[in-house]
């Protein structure tokens, strides 16, 4: 039963109005807290690529820290208004700056320093969020005494609805309009203003003059710091991004799916494209990779070709050198990469302006979903896809995915798959073989050396027996590939031959674990 309102100190507004503003503060602070949480997950997936691992680390650490914060809040119950304002000020400062701190640690320290920094920030933010809820409960009860169950219900309702709004605002409003660093900073400003202002207005009678002045000055200082960080965020991001690359950056953008960076050496000889920090090609030796990927698959019928990935147009360049190719369908998830490859002068020259060829049709969608709806057969299928190092890409190296590709093959059709490095990730490489075989595709493995990548492996596949690895009779003049090299490419050293590995599936994406085994990378 609700009791008669008995505020401990006089309020500037009626208790009902005061209570509304406190619950509004709960709502907004909850939204801000969830944005901080999602931002930590997002920056981790951008920089390291493994969304599930990053989400698991952030969520588990923050939930644990919230429990710690709830226990710590007992120490601050004697001065709840002042304590709440201090907590919100600290939360807004740490949460707002968290993305810049993480990006800076990744860029200027090392990738190994990133994970401890992430855990520390998640713990601090979670602890502060854990402290604020009990303090808010005390403030609500000071305004109007209620049964504990009713007060908890009101508080959690505002908290959960605020979480909903924050969760929806993050991907649909903050990221598109402000980006990740500026979005976190703007939320930090909102968090500080609301959290501290409520105390300065509603509970000023509970503050000493010194505490009131300290909170007011602190609020101005926090907003100033976050404002300056907002002003310099773009410059900071440019400097941090450049620190991660050897050569000067000549182009950088973040699409809906990934960060796209192009660097160029000072002498202009070496231009490189990176997606989320992973090298896609270097003009020094990309022809080695693309000749090895494309031409063995073209040693047979090749009138109709399907390319999965390859948004840079370099695989297209090699395919279109065959005059009897009638159509090429390229399926790539990110339209920004395709647009860049069709407009950037350096890349257009490199891919021979392949996207302007009338034989080419570009489809910007997920390759897995596109194959599910596809009813056409192709003479050649090229799987030029990013390595299956995380949940998003691992599905492209599963039995299910290769089964969908098999449905697009017929008769003498050929499939080629780029499968990563047999030297640096041998288990991941040979797992692809198992997955292809489980999907009914017979394969011929081969590997070549691409200096900027290292030793790199492929699979040539067909439905009726392992295909012969050969250079087509009608192949154009090649700079790297010939028959003697292809004969040698089928030989693997003893320490990198097929071991005891299993296929990868949607339910058991073993290829992720095989890629995460870093033993082979030691010393490099």
């Amino acid at each position: 039963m609700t009791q008669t309102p008995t505020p401990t100190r006089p309020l500037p507004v009626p208790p009902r109005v005061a209570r509304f503003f406190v619950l509004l503060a709960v709502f907004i602070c909850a939204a801000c807290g969830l944005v901080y949480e999602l931002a930590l997950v997002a920056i981790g997936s951008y920089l390291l690529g493994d969304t599930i691992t990053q989400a698991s680390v952030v969520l588990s650490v923050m939930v644990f820290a919230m429990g710690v914060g709830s226990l710590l809040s007992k120490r601050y119950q004697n001065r709840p208004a002042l304590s709440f304002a201090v907590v919100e000020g600290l939360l807004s400062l740490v949460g707002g700056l968290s993305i810049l701190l993480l990006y800076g640690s990744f860029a200027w320290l090392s990738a190994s320093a990133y994970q401890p920094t992430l855990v520390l920030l998640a713990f601090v933010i979670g602890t502060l969020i854990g402290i604020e809820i009990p303090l808010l409960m005390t403030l609500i009860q000071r305004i109007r005494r209620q049964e504990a169950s009713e007060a908890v219900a009101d508080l959690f309702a505002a908290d959960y609805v605020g979480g909903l709004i924050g969760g929806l605002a993050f991907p649909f409003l903050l990221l598109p309009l402000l980006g990740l660093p500026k979005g976190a900073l703007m939320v930090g400003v909102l968090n500080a203003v609301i959290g501290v202002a409520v105390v300065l207005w509603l509970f000023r009678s509970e503050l000493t003059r010194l505490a009131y002045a300290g909170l007011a000055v602190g609020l101005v200082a926090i907003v100033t710091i976050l404002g300056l960080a907002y002003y310099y965020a773009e410059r900071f991001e440019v400097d941090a991004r450049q620190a991660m690359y050897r050569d000067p950056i000549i182009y950088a953008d973040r699409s809906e799916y990934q960060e796209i960076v192009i660097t160029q050496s000072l002498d202009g000889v070496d231009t490189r494209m990176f997606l989320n920090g992973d090298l896609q090609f270097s003009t020094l030796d990309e022809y080695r990779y693309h000749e090895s990927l494309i031409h063995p698959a073209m040693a047979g019928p090749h009138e109709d070709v399907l390319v999965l990935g390859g948004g840079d147009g370099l695989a297209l360049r090699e395919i279109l050198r065959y005059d009897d190719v009638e159509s090429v369908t390229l399926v790539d998830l990110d339209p920004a990469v395709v647009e860049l490859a069709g407009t950037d002068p350096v890349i257009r020259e490199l891919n021979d302006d392949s996207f302007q060829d009338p034989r080419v049709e570009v489809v910007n969608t997920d390759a897995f979903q596109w194959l599910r709806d596809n009813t056409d057969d192709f003479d050649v299928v090229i799987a030029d896809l990013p390595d299956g190092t995380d949940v998003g890409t691992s599905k492209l190296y599963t039995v299910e995915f290769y089964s969908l590709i098999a449905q697009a093959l017929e008769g003498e059709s050929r499939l080629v798959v780029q499968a990563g490095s047999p030297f640096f990730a041998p288990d991941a490489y040979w797992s692809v073989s198992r997955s292809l075989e489980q999907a009914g595709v017979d394969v011929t493995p081969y590997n070549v050396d691409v200096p900027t990548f290292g030793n790199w492996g492929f699979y040539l596949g067909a439905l009726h027996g392992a295909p012969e690895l050969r250079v087509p009779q009608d192949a154009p003049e090649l700079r790297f590939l010939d028959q003697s090299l292809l004969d040698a490419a089928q030989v693997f050293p003893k320490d990198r031959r097929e071991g005891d590995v299993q296929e990868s599936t949607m339910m058991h994406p073993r290829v992720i674990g095989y890629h995460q085994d870093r033993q082979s990378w030691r010393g490099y």
Side-chain angles (χ1 to χ4, degrees):
M1 178 181 296
T2 303
Q3 300 179 5
T4 304
T6 55
T8 57
R9 300 285 179 89
L11 296 170
V13 293
R16 183 181 298 275
V17 177
R19 188 170 176 276
F20 168 79
F21 279 108
V22 171
L23 289 176
L24 180 63
V26 173
F27 170 85
I28 294 175
C29 291
C32 295
L34 192 60
V35 168
Y36 300 145
E37 186 176 320
L38 294 173
L40 293 181
V41 174
I43 189 67
S45 64
Y46 289 164
L47 297 178
L48 301 182
D50 190 350
T51 304
I52 290 216
T53 299
Q54 299 310 306
S56 299
V57 169
V58 170
L59 294 177
S60 58
V61 171
M62 287 191 72
V63 169
F64 167 73
M66 288 170 66
V68 174
S70 296
L71 291 175
L72 291 176
S73 69
K74 296 178 181 179
R75 300 185 177 185
Y76 309 111
Q77 291 295 332
N78 58 331
R79 304 185 72 181
L82 176 61
S83 299
F84 175 73
V86 172
V87 165
E88 290 307 304
L90 291 173
L91 180 60
S92 62
L93 193 62
V94 175
L97 294 173
S98 61
I99 300 306
L100 294 180
L101 292 172
L102 282 170
Y103 200 28
S105 71
F106 186 85
W108 282 298
L109 298 179
S110 66
S112 60
Y114 173 86
Q115 204 71 24
T117 306
L118 173 67
V119 170
L120 177 61
L121 286 172
F123 182 82
V124 172
I125 292 172
T127 300
L128 293 172
I129 292 174
I131 294 174
E132 73 179 359
I133 297 297
L135 294 177
L136 284 166
M137 175 69 73
T138 302
L139 292 177
I140 286 178
Q141 291 288 58
R142 287 197 174 190
I143 295 172
R144 189 181 71 185
R145 293 290 179 184
Q146 290 179 279
E147 293 288 344
S149 60
E150 293 182 6
V152 168
D154 292 340
L155 185 67
F156 281 5
D159 186 71
Y160 293 155
V161 175
L164 170 67
I165 299 303
L168 294 176
F170 179 74
F172 297 115
L173 183 63
L174 290 174
L175 282 184
L177 295 181
L178 298 175
L180 195 52
K182 285 188 173 182
L185 290 166
M186 184 61 71
V187 168
V189 171
L190 176 65
N191 193 169
V193 170
I194 297 300
V196 179
V198 164
V199 172
L200 291 176
W201 176 48
L202 286 180
F203 300 101
R204 58 180 179 267
S205 62
E206 297 190 18
L207 303 173
T208 65
R209 289 185 178 180
L210 181 60
Y212 188 91
L215 288 180
V217 171
L219 176 59
V220 172
I222 290 170
V223 171
T224 300
I225 292 171
L226 295 177
L228 288 172
Y230 186 95
Y231 180 78
Y232 288 105
E234 290 186 9
R235 180 61 186 173
F236 179 91
E237 188 175 359
V238 169
D239 291 343
R241 184 189 294 121
Q242 183 60 71
M244 293 188 286
Y245 297 95
R246 182 190 67 183
D247 295 324
I249 294 173
I250 61 173
Y251 176 89
D253 190 22
R254 178 165 295 283
S255 73
E256 182 181 352
Y257 303 100
Q258 58 202 338
E259 183 179 62
I260 307 167
V261 171
I262 299 177
T263 67
Q264 190 172 77
S265 59
L266 293 176
D267 58 9
V269 173
D270 185 9
T271 300
R272 303 187 178 201
M273 175 185 279
F274 298 83
L275 299 180
N276 282 344
D278 293 329
L279 177 64
Q280 302 303 300
F281 68 78
S282 164
T283 52
L284 293 177
D285 57 17
E286 59 78 20
Y287 65 91
R288 288 185 167 221
Y289 172 90
H290 290 100
E291 287 184 6
S292 303
L293 174 74
I294 298 302
H295 295 286
M298 302 295 280
H302 49 246
E303 285 77 17
D304 299 308
V305 181
L306 171 64
V307 182
L308 304 173
D312 52 31
L314 301 180
L316 273 182
R317 177 197 64 202
E318 297 299 321
I319 295 168
L320 295 173
R321 295 175 72 185
Y322 292 86
D323 293 334
D324 53 344
V325 169
E326 296 178 359
S327 70
V328 185
T329 302
L330 184 141
V331 181
D332 192 279
L333 179 64
D334 196 345
V337 174
V338 175
E339 181 179 359
L340 179 64
T343 57
D344 181 82
V346 174
I347 303 180
R348 282 183 63 183
E349 181 179 359
L350 194 61
N351 64 32
D352 287 343
D353 219 2
S354 57
F355 286 105
Q356 300 304 313
D357 193 296
R359 294 173 288 176
V360 175
E361 177 188 4
V362 176
V363 182
N364 292 126
T365 190
D366 177 75
F368 195 101
Q369 296 302 321
W370 186 88
L371 284 169
R372 291 185 65 180
D373 298 330
N374 171 62
T375 57
D376 296 328
D377 294 324
F378 296 89
D379 298 311
V380 178
V381 177
I382 312 291
D384 187 17
L385 298 161
D387 294 336
T389 55
D390 57 47
V391 174
T393 56
S394 65
K395 69 179 182 180
L396 305 177
Y397 291 85
T398 60
V399 175
E400 293 89 339
F401 183 70
Y402 295 137
S403 297
L404 292 175
I405 291 180
Q407 295 175 17
L409 304 175
E410 64 172 358
E412 300 180 39
S413 296
R414 289 186 165 206
L415 160 68
V416 66
V417 176
Q418 89 77 16
S421 173
F423 183 84
F424 291 115
D427 288 345
Y429 175 79
W430 292 111
S431 176
V432 174
S433 174
R434 295 290 181 88
S435 300
L436 284 163
E437 291 167 356
Q438 287 290 320
V441 179
D442 298 312
V443 297
T444 300
Y446 62 106
N447 68 110
V448 299
D449 287 324
V450 182
T452 54
F453 283 173
N455 176 250
W456 213 255
F458 307 86
Y459 287 100
L460 185 64
L463 294 179
H464 307 295
E468 179 186 357
L469 196 65
R470 58 186 177 87
V471 177
Q473 292 183 351
D474 59 342
E477 183 177 353
L478 303 177
R479 299 170 61 187
F480 172 68
L481 201 67
D482 62 15
Q483 191 57 49
S484 60
L485 187 144
L486 279 182
D487 292 339
Q490 300 175 66
V491 179
F492 290 80
K494 290 177 64 176
D495 62 350
R496 288 300 183 267
R497 292 173 188 169
E498 186 171 5
D500 184 19
V501 296
Q502 295 178 278
E503 71 277 4
S504 190
T505 67
M506 295 286 285
M507 293 296 100
H508 297 282
R510 298 182 179 93
V511 69
I512 299 176
Y514 291 144
H515 273 293
Q516 291 175 346
D517 180 6
R518 298 297 184 186
Q519 294 296 321
S520 298
W521 288 95
R522 290 186 177 180
Y524 295 91

